[in-house]
């Protein structure tokens, strides 16, 4: 293996050893845990962890975005750009037609690529955020909506009209939850049209049988809010969504493509706002009386600081008490809005696993409960709530 070309330490980035050590630890942890789902990303993350010229680039991102997946997505976006000349690194990306598996030449190819596109990569990590918009999460979302109807005793005779609000919506693809098909070994459901994607996953512990059957809810209103919503007709913006999908996950990439194409013909209203909860408050006030407002958020709270998370919980809880809002949250366990984490059936750490929680207004006030754990992208699901066992 040849000696990698020299690449000077950027002078406009923090060079504090404490900062670099923190970035290095994050890449190493990613390689040992989440990165194991993709053979290329696991090796790239180890390369970055061992080289301050690489992991140091992540320090340019805003503090809430200093996550390994952001720099990996920035590189992937560059690889997917047809205007970027083919390089040795392209050969390792199946999404760019590459067939080469990680080998001893990969570190050199990575260094050369980063060196050639450093300014672009820095701009991307400074201005972008990861926006996976993972429709695989709809496998739990549709059951969570069914559980909500059961708790509110709604929709048994006719589906309850629901207004679905996606906080941190990206391209708003999860707002089409009722259109998708579901193949989960528990309650098979065809898509409303062959062109709509089918969400496949496996239940480790199934939801109660009483939650099977026809939907007790019907989405009649939708709205999404994001700092930077993705316009599905914008090729560059949707390329970023594809870049946020890991290169060896062909099924996930194909599913995203289907969901984007479906959204192009059935778009949802999306709003850019720095205060999405004010948008939610105004929107709830404009809804017709019979419609039940439901807010969903999926892997958003990790990008907020502690004070922002407290403020969000306080404001959403007030809307639950005062306006009858229901709240379905799908976040990493450590950010879940519940006091105690339920026991899962697997060994996955709660830091990298999604906990689904449900909050609603009951006669005694605001109520909340955990519903399920799931893989971050919906590959597996694990129902944990026992209250529904006798439905």
């Amino acid at each position: 293996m040849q000696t990698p070309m020299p690449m000077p330490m950027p002078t406009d980035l923090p060079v504090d050893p404490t900062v670099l050590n923190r970035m290095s630890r994050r890449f190493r942890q990613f390689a040992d845990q989440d990165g194991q789902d993709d053979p290329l990303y696991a090796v790239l993350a180890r390369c970055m962890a061992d080289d301050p010229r690489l992991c140091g680039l992540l320090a340019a991102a805003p503090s809430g975005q200093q996550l390994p997946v952001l720099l990996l997505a920035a590189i992937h976006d560059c690889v997917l750009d047809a205007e970027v000349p083919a390089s040795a690194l392209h050969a390792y990306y199946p999404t760019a037609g590459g067939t080469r598996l990680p080998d001893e030449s990969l570190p050199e190819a990575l260094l050369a690529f980063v060196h050639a596109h450093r300014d672009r990569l820095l701009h991307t990590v400074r201005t972008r955020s990861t926006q996976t918009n993972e429709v695989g999460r709809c496998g739990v979302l549709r059951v969570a909506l069914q559980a909500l109807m059961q708790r509110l005793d709604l929709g048994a005779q006719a589906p309850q009209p629901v207004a679905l609000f996606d906080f941190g919506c990206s391209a708003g693809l999860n707002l089409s939850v009722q259109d998708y098909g579901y193949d989960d070994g528990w309650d098979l459901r065809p898509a409303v049209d062959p062109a709509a994607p089918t969400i496949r996953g496996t239940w480790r512990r199934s939801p109660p049988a009483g939650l099977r059957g026809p939907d007790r809810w019907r989405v009649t209103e939708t709205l999404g809010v994001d700092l930077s919503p993705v316009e599905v007709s914008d090729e560059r913006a949707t390329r970023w969504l594809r870049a946020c999908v890991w290169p060896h996950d062909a099924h996930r990439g194909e599913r995203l493509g289907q969901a984007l194409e479906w959204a192009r013909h059935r778009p949802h209203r999306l709003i850019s706002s720095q205060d999405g909860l004010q948008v939610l408050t105004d929107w709830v006030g404009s809804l017709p009386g019979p419609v039940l407002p439901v807010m969903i958020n999926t892997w958003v709270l990790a990008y907020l600081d502690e004070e922002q998370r407290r403020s969000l919980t306080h404001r959403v809880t007030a809307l639950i008490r005062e306006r009858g809002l229901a709240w379905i949250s799908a976040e990493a366990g450590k950010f879940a809005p519940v006091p105690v984490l339920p026991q899962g059936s697997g060994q996955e750490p709660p830091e990298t696993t999604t906990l689904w929680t449900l909050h609603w207004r009951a006669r005694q006030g605001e109520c909340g409960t955990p519903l399920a754990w799931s893989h971050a992208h919906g590959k597996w699901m694990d129902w944990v709530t026992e209250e529904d066992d006798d439905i």
Side-chain angles (χ1 to χ4, degrees):
M1 178 176 168
Q2 297 179 350
T3 302
M5 68 174 62
M7 199 169 75
M9 175 68 69
T11 56
D12 59 341
L13 295 179
V15 292
D16 184 337
T18 303
V19 174
L20 294 176
N21 286 338
R22 183 165 66 249
M23 298 300 103
S24 177
R25 285 196 304 273
R26 290 178 182 178
F27 277 102
R28 198 173 307 283
Q29 184 179 38
F30 176 85
D32 293 340
Q33 294 180 7
D34 282 3
Q36 292 299 310
D37 286 348
D38 191 291
L40 177 59
Y41 273 12
V43 177
L44 289 179
R46 289 193 184 95
C47 293
M48 294 175 181
D50 293 335
D51 194 328
R53 296 169 295 179
L54 298 173
C55 69
L57 296 177
L58 189 59
S63 59
Q65 284 286 332
Q66 289 176 349
L67 303 171
V69 286
L70 178 61
L71 182 54
L72 289 166
I75 294 171
H76 194 190
D77 180 65
C78 204
V79 168
L80 291 175
D81 189 344
E83 295 185 1
V84 172
S87 70
L89 189 65
H90 281 69
Y92 296 93
Y93 280 81
T95 46
T99 58
R100 191 168 181 173
L101 293 176
D103 55 27
E104 62 177 11
S105 297
L106 177 57
E108 181 180 355
L110 173 63
L111 268 175
F113 189 85
V114 170
H115 184 69
H117 302 286
R118 172 181 170 273
D119 289 344
R120 171 175 172 158
L121 296 174
L122 282 173
H123 177 74
T124 300
V125 299
R126 284 172 174 150
T127 59
R128 287 282 195 177
S129 60
T130 50
Q131 294 178 288
T132 49
N133 212 164
E134 180 48 66
V135 294
R137 295 165 185 159
C138 287
V140 180
L141 175 57
R142 62 124 176 181
V143 186
L145 286 164
Q146 197 82 328
L148 172 63
M149 297 303 108
Q150 184 274 330
R151 281 169 169 75
L152 295 176
D153 194 23
L154 296 172
Q157 303 305 316
Q160 166 64 37
V162 165
L164 202 57
F165 182 91
D166 192 348
F167 181 81
C169 64
S170 187
L173 302 183
N174 289 329
L175 292 170
S176 295
V177 57
Q178 71 180 0
D179 295 343
Y180 301 151
Y182 296 93
D183 181 2
D184 57 12
W186 173 71
D187 188 22
L188 216 63
R189 190 72 56 88
V192 298
D193 186 280
T198 293
I199 311 303
R200 293 179 172 83
T202 302
W203 284 100
R204 291 177 174 176
R205 289 182 295 191
S206 298
L211 295 181
R212 282 199 190 102
D215 290 337
R216 295 173 59 171
W217 51 274
R218 178 170 58 91
V219 177
T220 58
E221 309 262 357
T222 60
L223 182 63
V225 67
D226 199 288
L227 295 175
S228 301
V230 174
E231 170 55 57
V232 294
S233 63
D234 185 331
E235 191 279 332
R236 184 168 176 267
T238 55
R239 188 186 68 220
W240 175 248
L241 289 187
R242 291 187 289 117
C244 289
V245 175
W246 298 4
H248 279 270
D249 198 339
H251 170 69
R252 192 174 159 222
E254 179 182 359
R255 187 173 62 191
L256 173 62
Q258 286 182 301
L260 286 169
E261 188 61 28
W262 182 255
R264 289 185 185 105
H265 294 92
R266 295 161 183 81
H268 298 280
R269 182 179 169 221
L270 309 180
I271 292 177
S272 173
S273 176
Q274 295 287 330
D275 190 352
L277 294 182
Q278 186 58 54
V279 175
L280 171 63
T281 301
D282 296 340
W283 187 62
V284 168
S286 72
L287 295 172
V291 177
L292 175 68
V294 180
M295 170 178 145
I296 61 173
N297 54 272
T298 61
W299 281 80
V300 172
L301 301 187
Y303 302 112
L304 306 181
D305 61 33
E306 188 174 351
E307 178 55 37
Q308 289 171 323
R309 287 192 291 270
R310 277 198 299 266
S311 175
L312 180 144
T313 300
H314 175 76
R315 294 174 66 182
V316 173
T317 300
L319 287 172
I320 293 172
R321 291 194 307 265
E322 298 165 9
R323 303 286 189 90
L325 176 74
W327 180 20
I328 297 172
S329 175
E331 300 289 344
K334 63 180 178 179
F335 301 125
V338 290
V340 179
L341 298 182
Q343 184 66 40
S345 62
Q347 301 301 314
E348 293 83 4
E351 294 82 8
T352 59
T353 309
T354 305
L355 180 62
W356 292 78
T357 61
L358 175 63
H359 296 255
W360 71 99
R361 185 174 70 182
R363 288 195 181 94
Q364 65 270 36
E366 185 262 341
C367 295
T369 186
L371 291 179
W373 289 102
S374 76
H375 181 275
H377 305 146
K379 291 182 179 179
W380 57 263
M381 303 160 286
D382 185 21
W383 196 260
V384 299
T385 298
E386 298 179 355
E387 296 176 18
D388 295 314
D389 286 347
D390 296 326
I391 295 175

